[in-house]
Amino acid sequence: MNTQTAGHAAPAGARQGVGARVPRKEDARHLHGKGNFVADMAMPGLCEVAFLRSPLAHARITAVRVPDSVAGSVVLRDMMADALDIVADSTLPTYQSSSQPPLASGKVRFVGEPVAMTFAPTRAEAEDYAELVEVDYDDLPVYADVASAQAATTDLVHEHWRDNVFVTLNADKDFEAYAAQADLVVRRKIDLARQCMVPMEGKAVLAYWDHQADQLVVVSATQVPHMIRSILAQCLGLDQGRVRVISPDVGGAFGYKCVLQQEELCVAWLAKTHRRPFRFIEDRREHLTAGANSREHYYEMAAYVDRRGKLLALDAQITIDGGAYSVWPFTIGLEPGQAIGNLPGPYGFKGYRCVTRCVATNKPGFVPYRGVARTGVCFAMELTMNAIAREVGREPWEVRLENLVQAEQMPYVNVTNKHLDSGDYPASLRKALDMVDAPAVRARQAAGEPDGRLIGLGVATYTEQAAHGTSVFAAWGTPVIPGYDQATVRVTPDGGLEVRVGVHSHGQGMETTFAQIAHEILGIDVHRIKVLHGDTGQTPFSTGTYASRSLVMSGGAVSQACKRLLPRLTHIAAHLLGAEAAQVVLQDGCYRAGGKSVPTAEVADAWYLRPHLLPADVDPAGLEVHVGYKPKVDTGCFTYASQAAVVAVDPDTGAVEILDYAVVEDCGTMINPMVVEGQTIGGIAQGIGTAFLEEVPYDGNGQPLASTLADYMLPGATEVPNLRLHHFETPSPHTEFGAKGMGEGGAIAPPAVLFGAVNDALARIGAAELSHTPLTPMRVLSAIAAGAKEVA
């Protein structure tokens, strides 16, 4: 089923279930300034926390001096003997485990690593205390890049390791046999710069001791409250029942908040130890210099193709700069695991060989960032496809259309054993080309622009593995393996509905979409459905929100719970109507039979307040259901999309303008198309940042050179063009309603699309190919100069 959707919200009284454009329920409180974030909270006796951070990238700590005047407000690692280090082990072969102390112990491994923690009634005072602490360091060799780190034999990032490599993964599937059939080999080197995540709200945590409950309460801006409870209890030596984690409103996350942060552990330890409330709010400089990083990948690609550009085999070497520590719970193994498994993307070749190596350096550790490795592999694969097209003299989309998995091949198990469940990849690319009118772009290029700018067209197709579960994470050997997500639904005495889920929203609109799922089955008005999440004391267990899983997993659990609840409601309604259950029809929130009707509120009233009206064989479990759910196939469902862009490049200044941008996306059945489009547009904005602006450079001493938003550039309104979206809807055969996850998708393709477009434009004047993010004006001019030099 293919649909084109308009950009308008559903009017009052319109349908509210699956597929409806219901305005987001949660937006009202944010638009009226009524959101509840960690920084908004006030408590008697609250102390603010600051950290003294290392100015050096790699050094031994030889002495720490704390003035007596502030000694009671300063914490060092040796004072936290009852708190364990953060250890994220993996069962992957070759994996080397790191141990990350909550505060640096013995030595520091990156600029910004916390060495001491201070607290005071205000953040300013706490920072003043931190400045009074003196630390002596003995410099060690700094590994500011993967080359120096791999060459090191002594003074390693982690002394007990054999080298500076976290993990090496290998894949080989019939490579030699298919490579031998190739007519030519196309080789390219392709790199991505290191990035920060930069959510509107950085790290934020407040912890206190609830004396009535005899419980540590940690209020954290996290995506994964249940997992954070588990690891905090473990690190602090508490029973999990004595730890409660609450995640309030969260101002964006993108993966940055799906791991245990050092600061979370430190603040929780303070509250446990002093039985008082403490809070830490990350400032922007801390985020840019000491927060987690992502995206820094280096690719060496060799494509073995026939004379038409048909890809027969791919040989790839991927090196990832993983920083100093492996994060809990996903470990550093997630990034290379996703890279090696998802590099083939939507293409149907048969021979594959890949080595992925993740290297430890003296930089902040890697954290999963929106698209987890797939932005990198899409960039590498799509630029390689463009290179193949150049070599064989065909249009880039002609080569892609020949190499994409075809619709009639679905479901398709690809060369890395990914189960591509449904869709029509070539149709999405053709539609994207039609939306930007590719023939007209080619004609415009041939005619030339009056202002001398160069026009280029770029395309990309990608897959997004979403809601992958138990078998996938078990293969990666992570400390926590996701299983069933759970949901509880309960009809209230007045006929409303409470939905409790263990995932947590940080902007995805779950309070709306989960209510729409429940409405689709039970007919209760979405405004009378309350979705509760983000509190381990009130919600069922879930590993949390990540990997585009929440709608499929927890949304599936909500669907299943409502389906199990419906017969109980129907049975009571039938008795009230004097009819057989098989005769009862649910319509517009009322149960109808024989010309009579009873609303859900009357059914609920009978159960809660007038039980003498109930049938004798009523289910004693009542109007509350708790369900665990995971899809029929837990290797993930695959959203896919094609994107196309037209750009204009000024060869005199290197400036690039996006003239047109089209997206054709298939995420299965859309629960709420408006929410889907918002997610896609937001992701593309981030992808434009990756393509054109965002980079955290380091000097040879491991010093970050982008410490403010004047140095670290982000896309704004002038950088994001009017995006035109078209939807296919191919339901997944494995999920409730056929829905697929799509929260990361928009961020995956833009670097590939935009680099393809700029290279297409510059090819007209013989410029060198651009293959390293970000695509700055200086790099554009350098490519033009390099091309001119080569001709000369």
Side-chain angles (χ1 to χ4, degrees):
M1 150 171 77
N2 297 344
T3 63
Q4 175 83 53
T5 53
H8 303 289
R15 58 185 297 268
Q16 302 178 341
V18 171
R21 289 177 169 270
V22 176
R24 298 199 331 171
K25 297 170 60 179
E26 48 268 75
D27 288 348
R29 66 175 181 272
H30 296 306
L31 291 172
H32 289 89
K34 304 299 184 183
N36 186 34
F37 298 86
V38 174
D40 296 321
M41 298 175 181
M43 297 186 72
L46 177 65
C47 283
E48 303 289 353
V49 173
F51 291 91
L52 175 67
R53 298 180 182 274
S54 170
L56 301 176
H58 199 196
R60 299 196 190 284
I61 300 172
T62 57
V64 180
R65 291 178 292 279
V66 179
D68 291 341
S69 60
V70 296
S73 296
V74 177
V75 178
L76 305 175
R77 177 63 181 108
D78 59 9
M79 302 175 188
M80 301 175 65
D82 55 338
L84 302 179
D85 288 356
I86 303 169
V87 178
D89 281 334
S90 170
T91 58
L92 287 171
T94 77
Y95 181 87
Q96 298 194 95
S97 179
S98 64
S99 179
Q100 183 175 20
L103 297 170
S105 176
K107 75 170 188 176
V108 293
R109 294 179 172 88
F110 64 91
V111 171
E113 182 168 8
V115 176
M117 172 171 57
T118 61
F119 56 89
T122 67
R123 173 67 179 256
E125 290 174 276
E127 290 179 353
D128 289 344
Y129 294 171
E131 289 185 2
L132 297 175
V133 179
E134 297 179 352
V135 183
D136 294 338
Y137 298 98
D138 186 3
D139 286 5
L140 292 169
V142 173
Y143 309 116
D145 53 60
V146 294
S148 63
Q150 289 183 95
T153 56
T154 59
D155 295 314
L156 302 177
V157 176
H158 299 280
E159 294 84 349
H160 63 285
W161 285 11
R162 56 185 174 272
D163 54 27
N164 278 327
V165 179
F166 276 108
V167 65
T168 301
L169 303 178
N170 295 275
D172 194 331
K173 179 72 179 295
D174 301 329
F175 172 77
E176 295 291 350
Y178 284 96
Q181 301 173 28
D183 295 313
L184 66 156
V185 183
V186 179
R187 301 181 187 276
R188 290 294 189 274
K189 290 186 177 182
I190 298 163
D191 306 330
L192 281 87
R194 198 173 192 86
Q195 284 184 243
C196 289
M197 284 74 163
V198 204
M200 291 181 69
E201 176 198 38
K203 297 177 188 176
V205 57
L206 183 155
Y208 63 93
W209 193 267
D210 183 335
H211 293 276
Q212 181 180 16
D214 193 28
Q215 193 176 52
L216 173 66
V217 179
V218 179
V219 184
S220 178
T222 181
Q223 302 168 230
V224 290
H226 288 273
M227 286 205 291
I228 294 303
R229 181 180 76 161
S230 296
I231 188 61
L232 285 178
Q234 177 182 326
C235 287
L236 296 175
L238 294 170
D239 291 340
Q240 289 198 32
R242 298 188 73 199
V243 179
R244 179 182 179 186
V245 173
I246 301 171
S247 187
D249 284 326
V250 175
F254 313 123
Y256 183 53
K257 301 171 184 175
C258 72
V259 302
L260 176 64
Q261 311 281 2
Q262 287 173 283
E263 294 87 351
E264 284 176 313
L265 178 54
C266 286
V267 172
W269 178 86
L270 280 173
K272 175 203 169 191
T273 302
H274 294 280
R275 297 300 204 263
R276 294 168 53 195
F278 295 87
R279 175 170 58 190
F280 168 72
I281 304 293
E282 178 184 67
D283 67 31
R284 193 57 64 187
R285 186 182 292 272
E286 284 178 305
H287 177 77
L288 292 173
T289 59
N293 295 169
S294 194
R295 293 282 194 261
E296 190 171 359
H297 289 204
Y298 300 89
Y299 293 84
E300 294 182 29
M301 305 282 283
Y304 292 72
V305 301
D306 68 14
R307 297 196 183 280
R308 288 183 52 80
K310 176 68 175 176
L311 180 59
L312 304 174
L314 179 67
D315 189 10
Q317 299 278 332
I318 307 173
T319 305
I320 298 170
D321 186 330
Y325 294 105
S326 183
V327 295
W328 190 97
F330 298 110
T331 81
I332 198 64
L334 178 66
E335 194 81 16
Q338 285 277 44
I340 200 169
N342 284 288
L343 181 60
Y347 298 108
F349 59 92
K350 298 295 185 182
Y352 185 55
R353 183 171 65 193
C354 183
V355 178
T356 305
R357 185 173 293 106
C358 189
V359 180
T361 60
N362 294 122
K363 300 173 185 174
F366 246 43
V367 160
Y369 179 36
R370 194 174 194 174
V372 187
R374 283 159 291 185
T375 298
V377 299
C378 176
F379 186 62
M381 198 71 199
E382 295 300 296
L383 264 59
T384 299
M385 281 290 165
N386 293 339
I388 293 169
R390 281 194 180 196
E391 293 289 339
V392 301
R394 300 179 70 193
E395 288 283 18
W397 50 85
E398 292 176 345
V399 169
R400 285 173 170 82
L401 289 169
E402 191 160 332
N403 282 289
L404 288 168
V405 174
Q406 303 298 302
E408 61 271 17
Q409 295 176 284
M410 292 291 185
Y412 182 86
V413 180
N414 78 354
V415 71
T416 58
N417 202 35
K418 301 296 183 188
H419 294 249
L420 310 180
D421 53 305
S422 56
D424 190 336
Y425 300 170
S428 72
L429 178 55
R430 291 189 185 98
K431 180 62 181 179
L433 290 165
D434 179 62
M435 290 173 71
V436 297
D437 197 350
V441 175
R442 287 292 184 240
R444 183 176 176 180
Q445 286 178 318
E449 295 295 296
D451 60 5
R453 294 192 298 175
L454 305 169
I455 302 299
L457 171 59
V459 296
T461 301
Y462 68 87
T463 58
E464 179 191 359
Q465 185 182 11
H468 35 297
T470 303
S471 61
V472 176
F473 281 89
W476 287 332
T478 54
V480 175
I481 310 295
Y484 289 89
D485 259 49
Q486 300 172 82
T488 300
V489 298
R490 176 197 301 158
V491 177
T492 60
D494 61 354
L497 189 72
E498 292 178 354
V499 175
R500 298 173 188 266
V501 290
V503 294
H504 188 58
S505 179
H506 47 272
Q508 299 93 326
M510 293 180 198
E511 293 173 38
T512 303
T513 52
F514 286 8
Q516 287 181 255
I517 290 171
H519 169 84
E520 181 74 17
I521 298 163
L522 299 178
I524 299 171
D525 190 286
V526 295
H527 298 291
R528 302 202 65 210
I529 299 174
K530 178 68 176 175
V531 177
L532 302 171
H533 54 17
D535 186 341
T536 63
Q538 297 188 47
T539 62
F541 182 86
S542 168
T543 53
T545 300
Y546 55 91
S548 296
R549 70 187 301 274
S550 297
L551 192 284
V552 174
M553 299 295 294
S554 280
V558 171
S559 174
Q560 284 286 308
C562 290
K563 287 176 180 178
R564 293 192 190 182
L565 180 59
L566 182 58
R568 300 185 194 176
L569 290 162
T570 303
H571 184 56
I572 297 172
H575 183 72
L576 297 176
L577 291 166
E580 296 295 324
Q583 298 174 310
V584 176
V585 175
L586 175 59
Q587 185 179 33
D588 299 327
C590 288
Y591 296 84
R592 305 178 187 275
K596 297 187 293 184
S597 68
V598 293
T600 302
E602 286 190 26
V603 177
D605 183 68
W607 169 259
Y608 287 105
L609 303 176
R610 296 193 293 168
H612 59 287
L613 299 180
L614 295 174
D617 60 347
V618 69
D619 189 332
L623 303 186
E624 180 172 341
V625 171
H626 180 84
V627 166
Y629 169 82
K630 63 180 178 179
K632 300 170 189 174
V633 176
D634 80 347
T635 53
C637 48
F638 280 81
T639 288
Y640 65 96
S642 291
Q643 298 181 9
V646 181
V647 304
V649 183
D650 187 331
D652 296 323
T653 66
V656 179
E657 180 186 0
I658 304 173
L659 303 178
D660 195 10
Y661 205 112
V663 181
V664 181
E665 184 171 60
D666 186 345
C667 61
T669 302
M670 292 184 288
I671 304 302
N672 186 323
M674 186 164 55
V675 170
V676 167
E677 289 166 3
Q679 288 286 298
T680 301
I681 291 168
I684 290 172
Q686 287 181 298
I688 290 171
T690 298
F692 286 152
L693 300 167
E694 296 184 52
E695 181 176 21
V696 182
Y698 283 79
D699 68 13
N701 293 316
Q703 294 290 330
L705 302 180
S707 61
T708 72
L709 292 180
D711 308 309
Y712 190 90
M713 305 301 293
L714 294 169
T718 56
E719 285 77 38
V720 181
N722 180 38
L723 302 169
R724 296 186 295 123
L725 277 62
H726 181 86
H727 302 292
F728 290 176
E729 289 190 81
T730 310
S732 170
H734 307 311
T735 69
E736 291 288 293
F737 302 110
K740 307 174 186 176
M742 53 71 58
E744 300 169 86
I748 292 173
V753 175
L754 294 168
F755 269 71
V758 171
N759 281 331
D760 181 61
L762 295 180
R764 311 286 159 178
I765 58 172
E769 288 180 40
L770 289 151
S771 59
H772 181 85
T773 65
L775 204 161
T776 61
M778 181 61 71
R779 286 188 173 128
V780 171
L781 295 176
S782 296
I784 294 171
K789 183 178 181 181
E790 187 174 318
V791 171

